[in-house]
Structures are given as structure tokens and as C-alpha cells.
Amino acid sequence: MKKAALLFLTICIISCSKDYEIEESYGKKLISIEYDDSNNNNLEKYYYSPDDILIKIEDFRSTGNRYEFYYENSKLKEYKTFRMSNEKPLYRDSVIYNSNGTIQAIHHFLLYSEIDLQIYEYEYDNNKKVTKKSTYDVKSQKYTDIEKYYWQND
């Protein structure tokens, strides 16, 4: 579940993350991230449509997940998570937008279910930078995680 939120943050603010070490940074689009943690070398690969829109991420780390992205009117509508080893479908995440174009919430489902598992809610500052992400667990009907983001002045 946290992987979906991490994926969102990877997409939205990867350039601000200090958790990722990018070996070569040039060009206009991210094509891979190499993780070097202890004795493991792991890789994520990014794939784009002919229009340079992100359509798939393959995560070759221990979870081995593939993420497929679907758009409507040039905005991310949902993404699906699959286990790469057996192509097993896992989750579907649906994106809801605020009127100003920022993401209001992401609803996290089992892939073929309409029942929310979790809802990730986002808050922003006046510059449309994420300031807070809250995770609401639908089953327990309570917030289980709150993350606050602090930005350096631009």
C-alpha cells in the first residue's frame, strides 16, 4: 500500500528526493534509477509513449512490480500494479484532482474491486508543492499515517 504512495511521490517530486541516487542526470526524461544499497544493485526502468508520456515503470527490486499508467485529457487517471514474476494483478489506484490541477486524493483498490482499501489525501502550499499526505484506512475508518513535507526556498 505504501508502495503506491511512494510511486506517486516518485513521479511528482523525484528531483527533490534525497533517497534516490541517479548515476547520470541529463536529458529531458528519466529512463532509469539505479539503487545501490549494501550488497544489492537494483534498478527501475521508465517507459514512455511516442508522445513522451510515462506509461510504465518496471521495478526490479525485491518486490518486482510493474506499474502501468492510464491518462484522460492529459491527466493521470489511474495506474495499476502487477507482480512481474507471474503477471499477477495486484492494485488499482484512481486519481482525483482539485480544480487547480493538483492531486486531491488517490483511491487505492484491489485491482478488480470497487471497495477502497486506502485513500491518500494531499495538501499543498500556495506554490502547489505538496505539504502533507494523509493515509486513511477505509476498513478501520481512521488515519493511519500522516507525512509532512518541508521545502527549501526556491
Side-chain angles (χ1 to χ4, degrees):
M1 321 272 169
K2 286 192 175 196
K3 183 67 178 172
L6 183 60
L7 177 64
F8 166 75
L9 292 174
T10 299
I11 295 166
C12 293
I13 58 174
I14 195 157
S15 63
C16 300
S17 175
K18 294 187 188 235
D19 295 332
Y20 299 107
E21 181 128 353
I22 299 174
E23 286 296 314
E24 298 180 21
S25 57
Y26 56 88
K28 295 187 180 200
K29 60 185 174 185
L30 180 65
I31 57 169
S32 66
I33 298 175
E34 185 176 309
Y35 299 87
D36 188 5
D37 51 1
S38 301
N39 298 319
N40 298 319
N41 287 326
N42 297 295
L43 183 70
E44 280 184 2
K45 287 188 172 183
Y46 294 76
Y47 299 88
Y48 299 84
S49 72
D51 299 330
D52 286 336
I53 297 170
L54 181 65
I55 56 172
K56 179 171 63 172
I57 297 174
E58 290 179 334
D59 182 352
F60 293 95
R61 292 178 291 171
S62 61
T63 57
N65 290 336
R66 182 181 79 244
Y67 307 94
E68 295 179 359
F69 302 90
Y70 303 91
Y71 299 84
E72 186 175 278
N73 299 323
S74 300
K75 285 188 177 179
L76 180 63
K77 180 180 180 180
E78 70 178 24
Y79 53 94
K80 296 178 181 176
T81 305
F82 299 86
R83 178 88 57 225
M84 286 195 320
S85 62
N86 60 11
E87 294 302 312
K88 180 182 177 185
L90 299 173
Y91 304 107
R92 176 174 62 88
D93 293 82
S94 214
V95 183
I96 310 291
Y97 291 89
N98 293 310
S99 60
N100 67 2
T102 57
I103 294 176
Q104 175 185 356
I106 297 176
H107 291 255
H108 183 66
F109 305 92
L110 286 173
L111 190 58
Y112 297 108
S113 171
E114 291 302 317
I115 299 171
D116 278 315
L117 297 174
Q118 293 177 314
I119 301 170
Y120 306 106
E121 299 171 345
Y122 297 88
E123 295 178 21
Y124 301 85
D125 65 13
N126 292 335
N127 296 319
K128 297 183 182 179
K129 288 186 178 179
V130 176
T131 58
K132 183 178 175 184
K133 183 192 91 173
S134 304
T135 303
Y136 182 78
D137 182 78
V138 175
K139 187 175 181 178
S140 67
Q141 295 188 354
K142 66 179 182 176
Y143 287 93
T144 57
D145 191 34
I146 294 177
E147 298 173 9
K148 293 183 180 180
Y149 301 88
Y150 300 94
W151 300 86
Q152 265 187 325
N153 294 336
D154 293 334

